[in-house]
Amino acid sequence: MKRVGVFVCHCGTNIAGVVDCAKVAEVAKDFPGVEYSVDYKYMCSEPGQEMIKKAIKDNRLDRVVVASCSPRMHETTFRKCVEGGGLNAYFVEMANIREHCSWVHMNEKEKATEKAIDLVKMAVAKVIKNAPLQKATIPVTDRALVIGGGIAGIQAAIDIANAGHIVDIVERDPSIGGKMAQIDKTFPTLDCSACILTPKMVEASSHPNINLITYSEIEKVEGFVGNFNVTIRKKARSVNMDVCTGCGVCMEKCPSKVDSEFELAMSKRRAIYTPFPQAIPNKPVIDRVNCTYFKTGKCGICQKVCMAGAVDYSQEDKFVVTRYGAIVVATGFELFDYSVYGEYGYGKYPDVITGLQFERLVNASGPTMGKIKRPSDHKEPKNVVFIKCVGSRDVAKGKSYCSKACCMYTAKHATLVSEKIKDSNVYIFYMDVRTAGKGYDEFYNRTREQYEANYIRGRVSKIYQKGDKLIVRGEDTLISRPVEVEADLVVLATAMVAQPDAAKLAQKIGIGYDKDDLYTEAHPKLAPVETHTQGVYLAGACQGPKDIPESVAQGSAAAAKVCGLLSKSEMLTEPIVSEVDERACAGCEMCVPICPYTAIEMKTISERVHGKMLERKVASVNSGLCQGCGACTVTCRSAAINLKHFTDEQILAEVNALCL
Amino acid sequence: MSVNEVEQKWEPKILVFACNWCTYAGADLAGLGRLQYPPNARILRVPCSGRVNPQFIIKAFQRGVDGVLVAGCHPGDCHYTTGNYFTRRRFLLMRRLMEYMGMEPERLQNRWISGSEGPKVQQVITEITEEIRALGPNRKLRDDQWNN
């Protein structure tokens, strides 16, 4: 027979003001198994905890029930307390008589007391069946993986590497740098983006603890916190990285030209290419889809001109499996495909461009060498119209959220137009101007006052061509008048959206994503870089729209979490996991697909039946992967799987107790 | 005591299976906000609504509980990614089974309450308490050997 001690807390008057605590303690004495019962003003206080420890010793208690606040508040406190009293930490249960009783039944004192008694009774019934559980230790691999080599990923990798851990950055493009490499200037300081990014890229590539794995993708993620086995597909570069000197002759001689992704189709690149001159690693890859040699088997010019003999057409995709202790997902964003807005004339008018294309137009290393020229006739535009919230804050056609950075980058674009083009006019159609951030609102005001950008509050209903002008028709809702602007160039502030394959990657890693395929953090306020999968962290715009400072901050935050995890060679795991009773398991494999963590595998055991050795398959739970949801327990037809600490017996005991 | 008096004194007893991450947290929030609701519901904490075995529900009715609420995170928001989808399917089957057994299916309820929806906890428990009160005591499945 178990000896249970019941400790009823007054929580000052929070509980005692409604519930008759003395009565609860008195009645609890008669519950089966209860040896000792007492009430006290503050159980969580030092004297309260001492009282519990003393009572355990004096009354030889082996189970404890604390009737007080929510276990979400103080379960850890009391687990430590009973451990200090010499019991297993899991020999304590809490009855929530504050949040679930006294605070919500303030006017029904008698019924609240009755309910408190019931809750204590349930906790007593459960705690009697509590089994001793031990936290296990698992080894931690001292190596981190950063997926995505944009600014967030680079920052995370540098911070982790500086703390002394080995980091691999996997980037699917031929170069790291991400979207920030395409941007011209950064708000609100108008720093040159490349000037602040490229040193970071160089630092990442030359850091002794960082390995760049570019032109590679994540194929498969197995394992669990501390021990992820990640399969990385190294796509065939067709260029031997060890031999290539990066001289660039091959890129000059290559005869096939295609639209450059980096320049957003505003200029051409070759089939053997680096995305941009400052690329890191600055060694080319062959785009096999557009390469004449791969299409026809003829050409081979790049191989002939390469002095180092680095071009190797026979390369194939390689798969490497590496073990990591932690993963940072920093896959960034893509731009919203605004073709759903027919009124903006997507594809019809070459002079309607996106904000990112505009960045390339003003960039000194861009297709126009930094001179703003419209794509159609390369003339300098005089009237430039900006349209904000293209795809953002539009539940019907776009995304419901605000993309956050567009108000600021549009203001930045407006100042750049005014600075670069004399006598230019800027018109900005907006829904709201949202410029929260250090120095942001000041920047916006400067744009309006000093650079005289015309902010027009209203949406654009139509853009159409008239001669070589684009007529932008909309409404100024502040004066309730229709407006028409003759524009030379229209720039759309398109929404930031998740990468098209974001959901697929999330499924590979086993992290959550929302309706917009943005990755979900463990808690929006208190765990903003963690995911629900232990050991996987988020950084940058893959979690939600962010500007550069926020992405960098989140990259550093994720790095801090990774360092915390990797700083120890072993880590403790929560013992509340499923376990299989192999005697009862029929090997039906129903539990295998239901597990969201792929923690259940089938294994073969041999056993002696009637003097013969027989082999059969049974389920086996990987306690490192199991997160303790209990979905498998309900699926098991032979009740062979049980969830520790929430066993069928424990829950049924609670149900029984409630009805006694 | 006459039968009528017993009947008048009767208060519905409702068992709530609340998932640790959403509904239990929501109920804590209702407490923090001092949102008052009838004291008939007893909340039993489970890690996930997907942990609730239909067996628990049937046993509860056998032991004389008048109503059962299974509450978890909103579909798509499950802490364990998919747990509440299984709850949803089981709930539909369980309701069919209850009809088959001759029980009022309304005695079993299923709601999605997130950790930030304190007022919804108040509203749902108030609503369900009234609904079960209108149905009267659970006599169909109640096994009196458990109730002396």
Side-chain angles (χ1 to χ4, degrees), chain B residues 74-106:
Chain B
H74 286 269
D77 282 347
C78 179
H79 179 79
Y80 302 106
T81 327
T82 50
N84 51 7
Y85 293 139
F86 299 116
T87 312
R88 188 164 64 180
R89 279 183 235 168
R90 281 184 203 123
F91 169 74
L92 292 173
L93 285 173
M94 270 303 287
R95 276 215 146 174
R96 296 272 301 273
L97 178 69
M98 289 187 51
E99 274 174 49
Y100 178 74
M101 292 189 301
M103 284 273 286
E104 302 89 341
E106 296 78 26

Side-chain angles (χ1 to χ4, degrees), chain A residues 446-500:
Chain A
R446 251 196 335 269
T447 312
R448 240 169 8 116
E449 288 156 15
Q450 202 174 321
Y451 293 95
E452 295 176 351
N454 301 298
Y455 274 77
I456 304 168
R457 186 177 182 277
R459 306 292 294 159
V460 169
S461 58
K462 196 172 174 65
I463 299 174
Y464 62 93
Q465 190 122 30
K466 197 175 167 190
D468 65 341
K469 300 271 184 195
L470 289 165
I471 309 297
V472 181
R473 188 182 279 172
E475 188 196 0
D476 186 338
T477 53
L478 292 181
I479 52 168
S480 299
R481 289 263 169 81
V483 279
E484 254 186 25
V485 183
E486 271 193 8
D488 300 305
L489 182 69
V490 177
V491 183
L492 307 179
T494 41
M496 282 192 213
V497 297
Q499 295 278 1

Side-chain angles (χ1 to χ4, degrees), chain A residues 330-537:
Chain A
T331 50
F333 67 99
E334 215 17 90
L335 284 183
F336 180 76
D337 173 13
Y338 67 93
S339 61
V340 296
Y341 295 101
E343 61 266 39
Y344 300 147
Y346 176 73
K348 245 193 311 191
Y349 312 126
D351 294 333
V352 178
I353 60 172
T354 65
L356 198 57
Q357 282 176 314
F358 184 82
E359 294 283 352
R360 296 313 302 157
L361 282 186
V362 283
N363 195 305
S365 64
T368 56
M369 299 302 172
K371 293 216 169 58
I372 305 176
K373 293 176 185 170
R374 29 189 247 166
S376 60
D377 51 11
H378 301 287
K379 275 190 202 153
E380 195 177 59
K382 285 283 175 232
N383 291 345
V384 183
V385 169
F386 292 90
I387 304 174
K388 294 207 279 188
C389 295
V390 178
S392 310
R393 304 175 66 200
D394 181 351
V395 184
K397 279 181 167 176
K399 301 290 176 189
S400 52
Y401 55 78
C402 164
S403 290
K404 218 173 181 182
C406 327
C407 280
M408 280 307 290
Y409 76 62
T410 303
K412 174 189 75 181
H413 290 171
T415 58
L416 292 177
V417 169
S418 314
E419 275 181 358
K420 291 204 169 188
I421 307 172
K422 285 224 163 68
D423 325 314
S424 59
N425 297 306
V426 172
Y427 302 89
I428 301 172
F429 284 89
Y430 70 99
M431 283 163 75
D432 290 295
V433 177
R434 297 179 167 181
T435 51
K438 200 174 174 184
Y440 287 11
D441 209 49
E442 292 89 326
F443 186 90
Y444 158 61
N445 281 328
R446 251 196 335 269
T447 312
R448 240 169 8 116
E449 288 156 15
Q450 202 174 321
Y451 293 95
E452 295 176 351
N454 301 298
Y455 274 77
I456 304 168
R457 186 177 182 277
R459 306 292 294 159
V460 169
S461 58
K462 196 172 174 65
I463 299 174
Y464 62 93
Q465 190 122 30
K466 197 175 167 190
D468 65 341
K469 300 271 184 195
L470 289 165
I471 309 297
V472 181
R473 188 182 279 172
E475 188 196 0
D476 186 338
T477 53
L478 292 181
I479 52 168
S480 299
R481 289 263 169 81
V483 279
E484 254 186 25
V485 183
E486 271 193 8
D488 300 305
L489 182 69
V490 177
V491 183
L492 307 179
T494 41
M496 282 192 213
V497 297
Q499 295 278 1
D501 52 355
K504 233 161 128 191
L505 182 69
Q507 286 159 4
K508 278 181 197 164
I509 308 171
I511 55 175
Y513 52 95
D514 65 11
K515 64 180 194 329
D516 297 310
D517 289 355
L518 295 167
Y519 299 146
T520 5
E521 63 283 3
H523 189 283
K525 290 182 181 64
L526 302 177
V529 298
E530 291 97 325
T531 63
H532 283 310
T533 303
Q534 262 193 317
V536 181
Y537 305 96

Side-chain angles (χ1 to χ4, degrees), chain A residues 14 70-73 75 79 93-94 96 98-108 111-112 114-115 118-119 122 126 510-513 532 593-597 627-631 633-635 642-643 646-648 651-652 654-656 658-660, chain B residues 11 13-15 17 20-25 27-48 50-56 59-61 63-65 76-83 86 90 133 146-148:
Chain A
N14 277 318
S70 170
R72 293 172 61 89
M73 176 104 182
E75 195 164 51
R79 277 186 185 161
E93 280 297 327
M94 291 182 73
N96 186 346
R98 193 178 75 174
E99 281 87 342
H100 291 186
C101 191
S102 70
W103 277 353
V104 289
H105 310 309
M106 298 177 101
N107 307 320
E108 296 169 282
K111 281 182 177 163
E114 232 173 76
K115 177 169 173 177
D118 270 358
L119 292 173
M122 287 163 75
K126 184 181 179 196
I511 55 175
Y513 52 95
H532 283 310
I594 207 171
C595 177
Y597 305 100
Q627 302 283 319
C629 70
T633 60
V634 189
T635 322
N642 225 335
L643 178 62
F646 289 95
T647 60
D648 289 352
I651 295 174
L652 283 173
E654 279 187 90
V655 172
N656 274 344
L658 167 63
C659 305
L660 275 178
Chain B
E11 277 289 329
K13 196 171 246 185
I14 296 162
L15 175 60
F17 289 101
N20 181 44
W21 306 99
C22 288
T23 309
Y24 199 90
D28 281 358
L29 194 66
L32 279 172
R34 310 291 194 278
L35 305 174
Q36 306 296 303
Y37 53 80
N40 301 63
R42 309 282 185 263
I43 297 180
L44 196 161
R45 184 164 72 130
V46 284
C48 175
R51 172 69 187 93
V52 179
N53 197 321
Q55 176 197 3
F56 303 158
K59 291 261 160 135
F61 283 127
R63 304 287 194 270
V65 164
D77 282 347
C78 179
H79 179 79
Y80 302 106
T81 327
T82 50
F86 299 116
R90 281 184 203 123
R133 194 191 297 282
W146 295 101
N147 301 284
N148 12 343

